[in-house]
Amino acid sequence: MYSLPQRNSHRSHWLVSCQEPSGAMAPPDAEIEAGQKLLPEDGGKSTVAEGARPSNELLVGVFLVALVTKLFTNLEAIPGMSTISMLCCCLLAEWLEQLWAFLLCLVPVGIMLGLSTWGYLQVSALAICVALQIPLTIAYLAHRWLTQRHPELWSVTLAFPCINTALWVLSFFFLPIGSIASPAYDLAGQSLLLTQCSAWFGRSGVTFILSWLAAAGAHRCANSKATGGFRASLATLFVILLAGGVRFYAPTVFMGMTFIPPGGEPSEYHRVSCLSYMADVYNATKERLDAGDTIIMHTEQGTDVRNGPPVPRYQELLREHYDKTRVEALAVLSFFENKRSWYHLVTRNGSVMSYAKNHPVPVLESGLLPGIQPPSVASVTVGAVGAAEISVTGTICFDTDFPSLTRSLSTADVLLESSATWGNIGRQHLHGHQYAAVENGQTLVKCTYNGFTGAINPYGSIVTQLPQTTGVVTFLVPRFPKLTVFPMLHWAFDSVVSVAACLWLLLALVSLGNRLLRLKPENLQVEEVDDSQWAPGDQVRLVGLHDGSAGEELQKLNSSLGLLQRRVLKSKWLVQVQKKTFTVRGANLRVCTEAESRRWGPLGPWPWLTGAGLLATGLVLLGTELSVRRIRQLRGAERAPGMAIALLPMLAVCGSFFWIVGTVAGCYAMHESLQDPEVRFPQISELAVGPNGAKMLYRLGFGSAAMLLAATVQLHSELALPQLPGGQHGDAGESFTFYGLCSAFGVGLQGLALLEPHLSMQTLLHLAGALGFFYGAWCHMGAAQSLYLPTVPNEDHPGYQEALEAFEAAEESKLLNVPVVHFLVLLRHKVLMRGPLLVFLVPLLSQFAERSENATAQSPRTRSLMGLVQWLVVLNFALIFLSYGPELSVAAFLALPDE
C-alpha cells in the first residue's frame, strides 16, 4: 500500500509514501487528495528502480574473501586485510536481500576472527569473537539501512565508521578485551605513517579511517554512481598520511650534513636489562648493577618473594650500589601477592610507584583479582650524578592494551612495561604497544617472558626487538626527548565519534520507515476507507495532516490522539482532540474499534504467557519474603545463604526485564490500529491507549515489574550492602535502598494510572509516576557511586577521613574483589550510568505539553525520534537494574558480616 501522497514540484507527479498494498482504481488527478491510500498500477511489485542484483557466484566470492582476509588479521596480520574484510561484510550487508542471510554470514566471520587470535585464548577466543559480532552487527545494519534508503548521499558512508569506532571505543575502555582484535590493532607495526594519526586522535582515529575506507569502498562497488564517499575517504587517508609523514620525518628532514643523535650520545643511553624467571633473580639483579646497567626489569611475576618482602631488599641493594658507584639505578619488580599481580618502581629511596594489574587476561587469569587504582607517574634520576631527572611510569602486560589506563600516563618520559606472553602473540603484542608510545609521545621499554623484549621510541619505531624466554637480555635505549601530545584531543575525538554514532543509529532506525516515490496519478489506485464499524467514543489518531491538505490548526494536531464524536458527511467525522472538536476526513484517521478491542482479548496477544508470568511473579515475591527472613537469621554466622537464595535475584531482575520487554512488545502489537504509519517508535506511555487488552497488559506488566524491582532492592539490602563500604545502615546504604524503592513505586504508579488522550487526573498521576521513577533512579545511582566506587578528595576536605575509610573498605570488600562483580560494576558505572539520563525528561514533558489546551503536536519524524529516545533510555535503566542480578547471586555465596 502507498499512502500520504503530496504533490511534487513536477505537476504531473505525486510523492507517495510506501506501505502495504491494497485498494481500488484511482480517480483523475484532480480528485486525488493528500492522505488517501494508493496503489501503483502493478500492485506494488516494482516500485523502486534498483541496481542489478549480484549473481550468486559473486556473493559467494565476496563471502569467501571476507573469511580469508579476516583470518590474516591480529596475530599474523597482513597489511590491508582487516579493511578488505570489513569492505566485504559491508558489501554483503548491501547486497543480500534477506537480513537473516547476512546475519548468518557474520558467524563464520567471527569464527575466522577467533582463529586469527587463536594464540591468545584458543577455544575461548572463538566464543569471544563470535559473540563480538553481535554488537558489531549494529554498524553493518546501520550501513545497510542508510545506503539502501539514501544511496545517492555520500555522507551515509560515515555511519559505519562512526558506529564501528564507537563500539571499539567502548571495548577500549570498558570491555575485558581492550583494543585486542580492533582494526587499529591489526595495523600495528605495518604503517608507521598512518600510526602517527593516533598522536592526534588516538588509536580510534586509525579505526575510523580504516572503517570509512571499507564502507565507502563497499558502497562504491554496490553502486557505480556512489563515488563521493570513496573519494572523500581516499582524500582523508592521503591527508593523514601526509601529516603523519611530516610528523615522523620532521626531526631529520632539515638536519643537513651533520647527524644529530635524537637520543643523545651512546654514553648517555639507558643501559637496560630484562631478567626473566631466573633461579636467583636477586643475585642476577646485583650482577647487572655491577655490570653498569641503570634500569633492571623483572618480567611479570618474575620477582622472587620467598625470602620476604621484596621491596625493602631491592631498595637496600640499590642504596649499596649508589654508595659504591654514585650511579642512580632503577628496578622494576613484579610479583604475585594477595591474589593480585603487583608492579613496583624501586629506587634507593624505596618504591616510588606501585599498583596492581587492573585488567587480568580473560579466562587465563580468572583467578587473579583486578587492581582498583591505575599506575601513576614518578620523577626519578637514572644514571651518574648530574643526570637529568626523568618522569617514569609503568604497566603490566595486558594493561597496556587499554587506552583508558595508558592515556592517564601521558606526562611520563618513559613507560617501563613488565609482561609475560605465550605462543605466537609476543611479536604482535609488542607491535600493538606502539600505539601507547605514539599516543603518549613517550619511550616504551618492554620486558617479556616468552615473547619479544624491546624498546619503542615516541614515534612508534621499534628500536630494539629481541626474543626472550628465560635468562637475561641486555640492550641500550637512547634518551629520546618526549614529544608534546594532547590527550584531551583523544578523549574529544572519542566523544565526538560516539555522539555521531548515536545520531547515525537514530537516523538508521528512523530510515526503516516509509520511502518517498514519484509516481504519475494514472499509475495509482485509491483505497476507499471502510468506516462502517466506527462508533462514537472510539479512540482515534490523526495522521497525514502535516502536508498542507488541512487547515493550519488541524495540521498542528497531526499524530495526536482523540475520540470520535459522530459522522457528519460521507467519510468525514467529528473528532474531539485536546477538548476541541474538528471535522476530519476518514482517510486521516486511525481508529481502534470495539471489534479490534475484542480481537485481542482481555489479557493481550499471549494470555497464557501473561498468566504464567503472574504466577511466577507471585512465587518470586513469596520466595523473596522467606529469603529475607532466612538471611537475617544467618547474619554473623559463618555460613553463606547458598544456592537457593542465589537464584532469587536472577529470577527477580530477569523477570522484571522480561515483563518490561514483553509488555512493550505486546502493547506495540495491539497498538497497530492506532499507529501513525510515519511513526515507527511511538512513546511507550501511548501504547496503553487503544484496546482494553493493551490497558490491562500495561497495568499488569509494569505493576509486576515494579514489585520485582522492589524485591531486588530488598535482596540487595540484605545480601550486598553488608559487603559494601558503610554497610546496610550507613548513609549511602540507606539512601540506596530508599531511592531504589522510590523508583519501583514510580514504575508501578505510571503503570496503574494510564496516559489518556486528554489532560486528566489519571494523566497527571501517570506523569507523576514517571517523574518519581526518574528522580528515584537518579538519586539511587548517586548513592551507588559512593558504595561501589568511592573517591578520595584532597586531604583538606572536611570529609577526607570518611572518604578514605570508604575507599579502603571498597578495596578490601570480598564482593567487589570477585572478577565478575568487578566487571559488572565497571560496566554499570562507566557505561550504563553515564548515559544521557536527562534526555528521559524530554519525551516525558512533551507528553504533558501535548495535552495542554494550547499545545501543538510534533512532526512524525520528531515524534518517532522522541519515542526512540524514550525506548533507549528505558532500556538503559532496565540494563542497570538487570546488572545487579549476577552480583547478588555472587553475594549469596559469601558469609554475611554481623552488623
Side-chain angles (χ1 to χ4, degrees), residues 62-346:
V62 171
F63 175 62
L64 292 178
V65 172
L67 294 182
V68 173
T69 52
K70 183 61 72 176
L71 180 62
F72 292 101
T73 58
N74 283 284
L75 299 184
E76 307 294 344
I78 297 176
M81 292 298 100
S82 177
T83 304
I84 295 175
S85 180
M86 289 189 294
L87 185 149
C88 292
C89 290
C90 287
L91 263 178
L92 293 173
E94 290 194 53
W95 276 345
L96 288 174
E97 295 179 0
Q98 299 296 330
L99 181 59
W100 64 265
F102 169 68
L103 297 178
L104 191 62
C105 288
L106 292 181
V107 176
V109 171
I111 293 175
M112 300 305 281
L113 179 62
L115 292 176
S116 77
T117 61
W118 181 262
Y120 277 109
L121 304 173
Q122 297 186 357
V123 176
S124 299
L126 292 178
I128 292 174
C129 290
V130 171
L132 196 60
Q133 300 307 305
I134 297 175
L136 294 180
T137 300
I138 299 172
Y140 290 116
L141 292 181
H143 177 80
R144 172 190 178 96
W145 296 332
L146 287 168
T147 53
Q148 289 178 351
R149 176 67 187 264
H150 306 287
E152 74 287 354
L153 297 179
W154 72 268
S155 56
V156 297
T157 61
L158 288 169
F160 176 78
C162 286
I163 299 175
N164 192 45
T165 304
L167 291 171
W168 281 111
V169 167
L170 291 177
S171 175
F172 293 170
F173 292 92
F174 307 119
L175 295 185
I177 61 172
S179 60
I180 299 297
S182 70
Y185 197 84
D186 297 341
L187 193 73
Q190 300 176 8
S191 176
L192 280 177
L193 298 188
L194 185 55
T195 303
Q196 303 306 306
C197 168
S198 60
W200 309 302
F201 308 115
R203 61 196 79 182
S204 301
V206 179
T207 297
F208 179 86
I209 187 60
L210 296 180
S211 301
W212 192 13
L213 286 169
H219 193 45
R220 171 63 180 82
C221 294
N223 188 339
S224 59
K225 298 181 180 180
T227 59
F230 189 55
R231 291 176 179 175
S233 63
L234 287 178
T236 304
L237 176 64
F238 174 77
V239 171
I240 289 176
L241 289 174
L242 183 63
V246 170
R247 182 180 190 272
F248 187 77
Y249 293 112
T252 58
V253 68
F254 299 114
M255 188 174 289
M257 299 294 291
T258 304
F259 177 71
I260 303 175
E265 296 297 332
S267 60
E268 301 173 334
Y269 289 179
H270 297 297
R271 298 176 61 88
V272 181
S273 57
C274 175
L275 280 58
S276 176
Y277 283 82
M278 303 185 66
D280 190 351
V281 68
Y282 179 84
N283 284 325
T285 302
K286 186 176 182 180
E287 291 174 3
R288 296 316 310 165
L289 287 171
D290 294 339
D293 293 348
T294 53
I295 298 177
I296 298 92
M297 303 177 65
H298 297 180
T299 56
E300 182 179 1
Q301 298 184 22
T303 304
D304 189 1
V305 295
R306 291 173 295 180
N307 296 321
V311 173
R313 296 177 62 218
Y314 284 89
Q315 177 188 355
E316 181 63 27
L317 179 63
L318 293 170
R319 184 185 295 115
E320 293 175 357
H321 174 71
Y322 176 78
D323 292 340
K324 182 171 58 177
T325 63
R326 312 305 293 177
V327 173
E328 297 278 7
L330 178 68
V332 174
L333 311 183
S334 179
F335 50 87
F336 178 81
E337 185 178 66
N338 295 328
K339 296 185 178 181
R340 286 188 169 96
S341 182
W342 287 93
Y343 179 104
H344 282 266
L345 280 176
V346 181

Side-chain angles (χ1 to χ4, degrees), residues 620-862:
V620 171
L621 294 176
L622 177 61
T624 300
E625 176 61 27
L626 297 176
S627 297
V628 168
R629 297 180 184 180
R630 175 61 176 163
I631 292 169
R632 290 173 178 171
Q633 293 175 355
L634 294 174
R635 185 77 64 205
E638 295 183 358
R639 291 178 54 194
M643 176 62 74
I645 293 178
L647 291 174
L648 272 175
M650 289 301 300
L651 293 174
V653 296
C654 291
S656 180
F657 182 80
F658 286 121
W659 266 119
I660 293 174
V661 173
T663 299
V664 171
C667 290
Y668 186 86
M670 290 185 282
H671 196 69
E672 176 187 10
S673 59
L674 287 175
Q675 185 164 347
D676 188 334
E678 295 182 279
V679 178
R680 181 165 292 272
F681 299 98
Q683 295 188 14
I684 294 176
S685 299
E686 292 187 350
L687 296 179
V689 179
N692 293 329
K695 295 179 172 63
M696 180 59 69
L697 179 59
Y698 194 93
R699 287 191 170 105
L700 292 175
F702 281 96
S704 299
M707 288 187 287
L708 290 172
L709 177 58
T712 303
V713 173
Q714 188 63 35
L715 287 170
H716 184 279
S717 175
E718 301 294 336
L719 289 172
L721 283 182
Q723 309 281 355
L724 299 176
Q728 189 175 13
H729 301 296
D731 291 341
E734 290 183 347
S735 296
F736 184 94
T737 302
F738 174 75
Y739 288 115
L741 294 176
C742 287
S743 300
F745 177 78
V747 172
L749 180 58
Q750 69 87 33
L752 296 176
L754 303 180
L755 192 73
E756 293 186 330
H758 56 279
L759 191 60
S760 64
M761 181 56 66
Q762 188 170 195
T763 297
L764 291 175
L765 287 174
H766 177 88
L767 296 173
L771 286 172
F773 164 74
F774 174 78
Y775 176 74
W778 184 273
C779 297
H780 173 85
M781 289 187 292
Q785 183 72 26
S786 301
L787 288 169
Y788 287 93
L789 295 175
T791 56
V792 181
N794 296 329
E795 293 187 10
D796 56 353
H797 191 276
Y800 170 77
Q801 189 60 38
E802 183 179 352
L804 180 61
E805 291 175 359
F807 178 80
E808 292 174 348
E811 280 198 319
E812 297 173 359
S813 170
K814 294 181 180 179
L815 178 63
L816 296 182
N817 282 323
V818 176
V820 173
V821 175
H822 180 75
F823 169 72
L824 288 172
V825 170
L826 292 180
L827 176 66
R828 186 164 62 234
H829 289 263
K830 301 294 186 180
V831 182
L832 299 176
M833 287 187 178
R834 291 189 176 184
L837 301 183
L838 284 174
V839 177
F840 178 82
L841 294 176
V842 178
L844 182 65
L845 295 178
S846 72
Q847 293 177 347
F848 178 84
E850 282 185 11
R851 283 153 180 81
S852 62
E853 292 187 4
N854 299 319
T856 59
Q858 303 109 348
S859 67
R861 179 64 61 87
T862 302

Side-chain angles (χ1 to χ4, degrees), residues 279-466:
D280 190 351
V281 68
Y282 179 84
N283 284 325
T285 302
K286 186 176 182 180
E287 291 174 3
R288 296 316 310 165
L289 287 171
D290 294 339
D293 293 348
T294 53
I295 298 177
I296 298 92
M297 303 177 65
H298 297 180
T299 56
E300 182 179 1
Q301 298 184 22
T303 304
D304 189 1
V305 295
R306 291 173 295 180
N307 296 321
V311 173
R313 296 177 62 218
Y314 284 89
Q315 177 188 355
E316 181 63 27
L317 179 63
L318 293 170
R319 184 185 295 115
E320 293 175 357
H321 174 71
Y322 176 78
D323 292 340
K324 182 171 58 177
T325 63
R326 312 305 293 177
V327 173
E328 297 278 7
L330 178 68
V332 174
L333 311 183
S334 179
F335 50 87
F336 178 81
E337 185 178 66
N338 295 328
K339 296 185 178 181
R340 286 188 169 96
S341 182
W342 287 93
Y343 179 104
H344 282 266
L345 280 176
V346 181
T347 68
R348 64 185 177 92
N349 298 317
S351 177
V352 295
M353 191 279 282
S354 66
Y355 90 106
K357 188 176 187 178
N358 284 193
H359 302 94
V361 178
V363 183
L364 294 181
E365 295 181 339
S366 58
L368 199 65
L369 295 179
I372 297 177
Q373 290 297 310
S376 57
V377 179
S379 295
V380 299
T381 301
V382 179
V385 175
E389 191 176 69
I390 61 173
S391 54
V392 182
T393 188
T395 55
I396 302 177
C397 198
F398 197 45
D399 281 348
T400 320
D401 291 309
F402 288 80
S404 58
L405 185 144
T406 57
R407 287 180 185 175
S408 64
L409 310 175
S410 60
T411 58
D413 298 310
V414 180
L415 188 152
L416 303 175
E417 178 193 342
S418 174
S419 66
T421 57
W422 55 91
N424 64 336
I425 75 172
R427 185 187 302 275
Q428 189 64 12
H429 208 238
L430 177 64
H431 290 174
H433 295 175
Q434 291 174 278
Y435 284 111
V438 176
E439 286 179 347
N440 291 342
Q442 62 195 187
T443 302
L444 187 149
V445 182
K446 183 180 177 72
C447 175
T448 308
Y449 165 70
N450 273 353
F452 281 80
T453 291
I456 305 170
N457 73 8
Y459 294 98
S461 295
I462 297 177
V463 295
T464 301
Q465 180 177 241
L466 300 168

